[in-house]
Amino acid sequence: VDEGVNPDLEISRFLSERAAFPHCAPLAGTLEYRRSRGETMTVAILHGYTQNQGDAWRYTLDTLGRYCENVLTHPSVEQPAVPLTPLLALTEEAIPSSVGEMIGPYLASARLLGQRTAEMHIAFAAEPEDPLFVPEPFSTLYQRSLYQSVRSLAVQSLQLLRQRLKHLPETVRTEAQHVLDLEKEIFHRFQAILQHKMAAMRTRYHGDFHLGQVLYTGKDFVIIDFEGEPARPLSERRMKRSPLRDVAGMLRSFHYAAYTALFDQVNRGALNSHPEGVAALEPWMRLWHVWVSAAFLGSYLDTAGRETFIPRNRADLQILLDVFLLEKAVYELSYELNNRPTWVQVPLRGISQLIETNEESLTATKA
């Protein structure tokens, strides 16, 4: 509880009453505390009940569990070729029929979630009067501020990784050292945001968007919990930024889901009898993550592609996606080191894959 309007109250009221956005839990009421001096504090928020079957995280893990069983019960199937194409380019490619058969109906779910995400962002960008929601253009000052922010985050996270390196298991230590060796390339990726002024708008956005912030109704998705990252001050959570941050958050959530399912198979002993162990299943999890992410992003861009918050220049769109995905993975690295060290492999692999996918793609293009 802090002084000021909680973003969840502010955004829920906007989406329910002004934007009439149907895919969020409607605001029903609020409990506020007012002192004789100082700003009002939001103590509690009441939303209309949404019939659901749990959140999208649980739905995704259930689907992944069946996917893993399908892979493991057909050991004769050759290891899949995981595309090295950058995700934005992959959205323009057709999903191979064999991949579609393996992943099944979840690809349609990912597309629907991409559509609902874009519709939420369109609602945020449509406000013409309220200064708290009216879109604002990118500026060179904002771009520099963004660069300083993500660079500082990377410096802190990598420094923490160095400090904790000797305490990590040996297998994880190798991956951690590899990420530390990528430090210059990480900073180079962030510097791309300074190349030139971008033609795009900043808007309000969800602020902490992942599969756990979406309810699954059995047929559709309902977005909840607009308070942003609780560790950040209210003033920062209410700032307008590129809604592509939400897109990056969801794409990283797909990555987490894939590895959560993989670790679950390990913990259950499902891979003990397989001669290749984890190596037999991990390429399939990467395949799932890549094509589900492409389905989500492709649907998002199909719905929001002409909106002013999407950069007009496709190269700028690629830069923003790269920056926000890498920023999110670097943030996750620090979070896991401080809270769940056994999970640090997920952001480590995320960082490596984000850097190396683009590098190999560029090498192939030059060749």
Side-chain angles (χ1 to χ4, degrees):
V1 176
D2 199 0
E3 288 190 352
V5 180
N6 189 289
D8 196 8
L9 172 60
E10 192 171 45
I11 291 175
S12 293
R13 178 176 288 143
F14 172 81
L15 291 177
S16 298
E17 299 175 4
R18 294 182 65 90
F21 180 64
H23 302 291
C24 68
L27 179 67
T30 180
L31 182 64
E32 297 177 323
Y33 175 63
R34 292 193 177 105
R35 296 187 295 190
S36 57
R37 295 181 181 179
E39 292 187 64
T40 298
M41 297 183 182
T42 305
V43 178
I45 304 170
L46 182 69
H47 290 94
Y49 177 69
T50 299
Q51 191 75 33
N52 67 88
Q53 298 181 8
D55 61 32
W57 174 256
R58 176 45 53 193
Y59 165 60
T60 301
L61 289 185
D62 289 344
T63 303
L64 273 166
R66 293 189 291 272
Y67 173 79
C68 290
E69 290 174 6
N70 192 19
V71 170
L72 294 173
T73 52
H74 296 83
S76 60
V77 178
E78 294 183 3
Q79 291 282 6
V82 182
L84 298 175
T85 311
L87 186 58
L88 185 58
L90 204 61
T91 62
E92 299 176 351
E93 297 185 15
I95 297 177
S97 58
S98 58
V99 173
E101 290 173 5
M102 284 297 296
I103 298 177
Y106 193 84
L107 285 171
S109 296
R111 293 189 186 98
L112 180 59
L113 184 54
Q115 178 185 338
R116 296 293 181 247
T117 303
E119 290 168 349
M120 173 181 68
H121 291 161
I122 291 170
F124 284 136
E127 174 55 44
E129 298 178 358
D130 188 345
L132 295 173
F133 286 88
V134 171
E136 298 176 4
F138 271 61
S139 65
T140 52
L141 180 63
Y142 170 72
Q143 287 175 224
R144 180 159 291 280
S145 174
L146 173 59
Y147 168 71
Q148 294 294 346
S149 174
V150 296
R151 191 183 189 284
S152 295
L153 176 65
V155 168
Q156 294 169 11
S157 294
L158 293 175
Q159 183 177 0
L160 181 62
L161 182 60
R162 284 191 187 90
Q163 294 170 353
R164 305 283 176 85
L165 187 62
K166 63 183 179 181
H167 302 293
L168 297 174
E170 187 174 350
T171 53
V172 181
R173 205 179 308 152
T174 302
E175 294 183 62
Q177 185 58 57
H178 178 61
V179 167
L180 290 172
D181 293 340
L182 293 172
E183 182 175 20
K184 289 185 179 179
E185 183 59 31
I186 291 171
F187 292 147
H188 177 69
R189 296 296 174 90
F190 286 150
Q191 284 179 330
I193 200 71
L194 301 176
Q195 287 181 359
H196 57 268
K197 187 176 183 300
M198 294 187 172
M201 302 297 283
R202 295 180 291 127
T203 68
R204 297 297 292 268
Y205 66 122
H206 186 283
D208 189 21
F209 200 50
H210 54 78
L211 289 164
Q213 307 283 45
V214 181
L215 299 179
Y216 178 59
T217 68
K219 295 181 179 179
D220 211 331
F221 296 103
V222 175
I223 302 168
I224 61 172
D225 195 358
F226 294 91
E227 71 172 346
E229 294 179 9
R232 298 179 184 270
L234 286 180
S235 58
E236 189 173 333
R237 288 187 257 160
R238 297 174 71 200
M239 290 176 62
K240 295 169 187 173
R241 304 178 191 272
S242 170
L244 290 172
R245 283 180 180 269
D246 284 346
V247 174
M250 187 57 68
L251 292 172
R252 290 295 307 141
S253 193
F254 289 138
H255 186 256
Y256 258 80
Y259 276 90
T260 298
L262 176 62
F263 294 158
D264 182 59
Q265 295 296 318
V266 173
N267 293 335
R268 289 172 48 231
L271 300 175
N272 291 348
S273 60
H274 201 289
E276 297 180 37
V278 173
L281 189 55
E282 186 170 13
W284 289 99
M285 308 316 289
R286 289 191 64 183
L287 185 80
W288 182 94
H289 168 238
V290 166
W291 284 113
V292 165
S293 296
F296 170 85
L297 181 59
S299 177
Y300 177 87
L301 293 175
D302 285 344
T303 306
R306 296 183 180 181
E307 295 293 325
T308 57
F309 53 82
I310 301 294
R312 299 171 190 169
N313 186 309
R314 197 162 180 84
D316 288 348
L317 175 58
Q318 181 70 64
I319 288 172
L320 286 182
L321 284 172
D322 286 347
V323 167
F324 293 143
L325 280 168
L326 196 53
E327 176 196 26
K328 187 69 175 173
V330 169
Y331 168 81
E332 292 161 357
L333 174 61
S334 180
Y335 178 87
E336 302 299 6
L337 285 169
N338 284 322
N339 298 281
R340 300 186 302 183
T342 56
W343 282 77
V344 75
Q345 276 184 296
V346 181
L348 285 174
R349 292 184 187 185
I351 293 169
S352 297
Q353 290 166 15
L354 287 168
I355 296 292
E356 291 165 1
T357 296
N358 283 358
E359 277 185 346
E360 294 185 39
S361 175
L362 288 171
T363 301
T365 301
K366 291 177 182 178

